[in-house]
Amino acid sequence: MLTVIILVTLGAFAQAEDESEGKLTTKYDAGKDETEISINYLPIKATASNKVFMHLSVTFSGKKLKSKPDDVILVMSVVSLKNHRYPDINQVNLASEGKSISKMILLNLDQRKFSDTEILETLGTRIETNSLKKLGQTKAPIEFKINNGLFTIDRDVIAKLAEFHKAIVP
């Protein structure tokens, strides 16, 4: 699974300019008899990087989702200067207008060369479906910090979170 996530993040930057708004996709794999619902390339603003994208996915057996999943895989692709590195474990408080909405732990899953001066870091976690619902219902931008970097999820991306949540609740 980690290899798949890393390949998704590397591919994200090759395609992100064409798909910067993110598209909800549903893919059925007949060989595995499983379906993945995902939304990729959601742009996140950050003080420590000019390239940050969020990816969400849920995989389930069969063609039709029978019940709401407990959680969603959330992956962030972050391009940073080579001398920068996020900690292995990052406790994150997601807040809007100074009020906490949700908490999560982002793990630093991988670091790879992106350019001569930059690295691509892959941060990931599982976020509870109910927490995702709260994020999608937020009216103002959502902010969170990792180390000294401030990340902002703007209203357009919040609408995409709500769209994703709606797609994974039968």
Side-chain angles (χ1 to χ4, degrees):
M1 176 97 150
L2 179 59
T3 304
V4 173
I5 291 170
I6 293 166
L7 292 175
V8 166
T9 60
L10 289 172
F13 290 101
Q15 299 176 20
E17 289 183 17
D18 294 333
E19 301 182 39
S20 63
E21 291 299 317
K23 293 181 182 177
L24 183 69
T25 60
T26 301
K27 294 179 188 173
Y28 175 70
D29 183 333
K32 295 180 182 178
D33 187 34
E34 66 181 26
T35 302
E36 178 186 51
I37 300 173
S38 64
I39 193 163
N40 295 306
Y41 317 115
L42 296 173
I44 306 298
K45 296 175 184 164
T47 56
S49 174
N50 62 352
K51 296 175 186 167
V52 180
F53 292 95
M54 181 188 300
H55 317 278
L56 301 168
S57 69
V58 168
T59 303
F60 55 91
S61 296
K63 291 183 179 180
K64 185 172 172 127
L65 186 62
K66 295 175 179 82
S67 62
K68 177 179 82 169
D70 293 332
D71 48 37
V72 171
I73 295 174
L74 181 150
V75 175
M76 287 180 49
S77 304
V78 183
V79 174
S80 305
L81 293 176
K82 268 191 175 177
N83 62 355
H84 182 274
R85 186 177 187 288
Y86 289 103
D88 290 338
I89 301 173
N90 301 278
Q91 293 188 1
V92 176
N93 180 39
L94 297 136
S96 181
E97 298 182 322
K99 295 180 183 176
S100 179
I101 302 167
S102 182
K103 295 181 184 208
M104 65 181 174
I105 295 176
L106 276 173
L107 302 177
N108 192 335
L109 303 172
D110 187 62
Q111 305 82 42
R112 295 178 183 248
K113 180 180 177 179
F114 185 74
S115 72
D116 288 338
T117 59
E118 300 170 311
I119 61 166
L120 170 63
E121 292 187 81
T122 304
L123 308 175
T125 193
R126 290 182 176 269
I127 185 169
E128 291 180 358
T129 305
N130 290 335
S131 293
L132 179 66
K133 180 180 179 180
K134 287 180 191 176
L135 296 176
Q137 293 173 335
T138 303
K139 303 294 181 208
I142 299 167
E143 294 183 334
F144 60 96
K145 291 181 182 179
I146 303 176
N147 269 2
N148 295 328
L150 178 65
F151 295 81
T152 304
I153 303 171
D154 67 24
R155 292 174 53 154
D156 291 339
V157 174
I158 292 169
K160 294 287 185 177
L161 298 178
E163 177 185 358
F164 183 81
H165 182 266
K166 185 177 177 182
I168 64 167
V169 177

